[in-house]
Amino acid sequence: MEHALSPATLSELRRPRAYPAVSVLTPTHRREPENAQDPVRLRNVVAEAKKQLEADPAVPRERRIDVARQLDQALAEVDLAHAEDGLVIFAAPGEHQVWSLARAVPERVVLSDTFLTRNLVSAQASERPFWVLSVSADRATLWNGGIDRVGEHHAGGFPMTRSRENFDAERLEQVGDFPSTFRDEDTRHFLREADTAMVKVLRRDPRPLYITGETAALSALDDVGNLAKEAVHVPHGGLAHGTPDAVWQAVRPLIAAEARKSTDAVNRELESARGRRAFAAGVDEIWQNARDGRVRLLAVEENYRVTVRDDGGDHLIPAESGDLDAREDIVDEIVEQCLETGADVRFVPDGALGGADGIAGVLRY
């Protein structure tokens, strides 16, 4: 199952497909007893997608069979033992993908000529993704980080390894201390290669970067590379060969501190905007300004969800889940629209926005 949504991946997902491009969304659960319902619910929503394919006269028989086969293959790849809060299946002629999201999604099936990406975009923004690069003399490991975990990233040349046979053991014995390893030219060349590979990753998928390693390793990387100005150093050795949990525990205090700092900064900006009459709050007011591209900063409480209906195109009004024309992922729509128009989107803890009803923004004009 996929987790990391890079700009290049999002662009690929958004390109037009031969009809039908099927998007299947369903909420999932991380823990018992709620997760007992997930297998049945998933099978039912996939069955509903097949039913809609069967009933659509615009879908030729051969294409319907192909897409139904893609849905079956996607279903077989789902690993509900590692479920998060939402699951998205994309299927089109000749292709399928399964995405696990750390954000709830409404249950729905959409047939179109593009995949429905707004829930992925919103989940990615709420995850506050980051990179962790762990370096040692013989290995550089890249970790993909989210709001409550890290996982090893196998792309962009990572992990990078160097055989211990290349080490100048005689020289190390003469010098007599481990840090001298990082003054060895072969080791510095290895770190330079890791630095170059990481720069390319950041160019494709910019995120905050944390670098872990022995103090001597971090110093050597600074000497030979270009990452120092973009990264936070975490002096912690052993993580290049470590486990995801060990890496997460090492960076977790820094991530938490950064989140608190970000929330405080958001509230200061919102308060300042009130005084300038550049403040908006509530889903209806934010939605209208987002459509006009007026939102410069969007703040959303992490678990804020609301179901609405579009009242003739001018306003959103409250609705019940399952109502005709109900829009159960309107918050995700707003997040995607704001990102599309260049807004800074920040997710903050529940209750952090006070009386702003879960969502607020700073306007451009």
Side-chain angles (χ1 to χ4, degrees), residues 18-30:
Y19 185 84
V22 181
S23 303
V24 178
L25 289 73
T26 185
T28 52
H29 303 84
R30 299 175 187 243

Side-chain angles (χ1 to χ4, degrees), residues 113-132:
D113 59 358
T114 58
F115 292 137
L116 184 69
T117 60
R118 61 175 172 255
N119 305 95
L120 270 68
V121 170
S122 182
Q124 180 80 349
S126 69
E127 278 254 290
R128 298 187 288 273
F130 57 90
W131 296 116
V132 181

Side-chain angles (χ1 to χ4, degrees), residues 238-303:
L239 297 179
H241 296 271
T243 64
D245 184 63
V247 176
W248 172 241
Q249 295 305 324
V251 300
R252 184 177 183 177
L254 296 167
I255 303 300
E258 186 58 35
R260 288 192 295 271
K261 223 163 75 175
S262 176
T263 298
D264 291 344
V266 166
N267 278 320
R268 285 195 299 271
E269 285 209 53
L270 291 172
E271 192 59 36
S272 174
R274 287 179 188 272
R276 305 192 313 271
R277 298 181 180 271
F279 175 82
V283 66
D284 183 46
E285 189 176 356
I286 291 291
W287 176 68
Q288 293 180 57
N289 283 290
R291 288 191 306 167
D292 294 336
R294 295 185 61 200
V295 180
R296 180 179 66 78
L297 168 68
L298 177 70
V300 185
E301 292 183 357
E302 288 169 349
N303 293 299

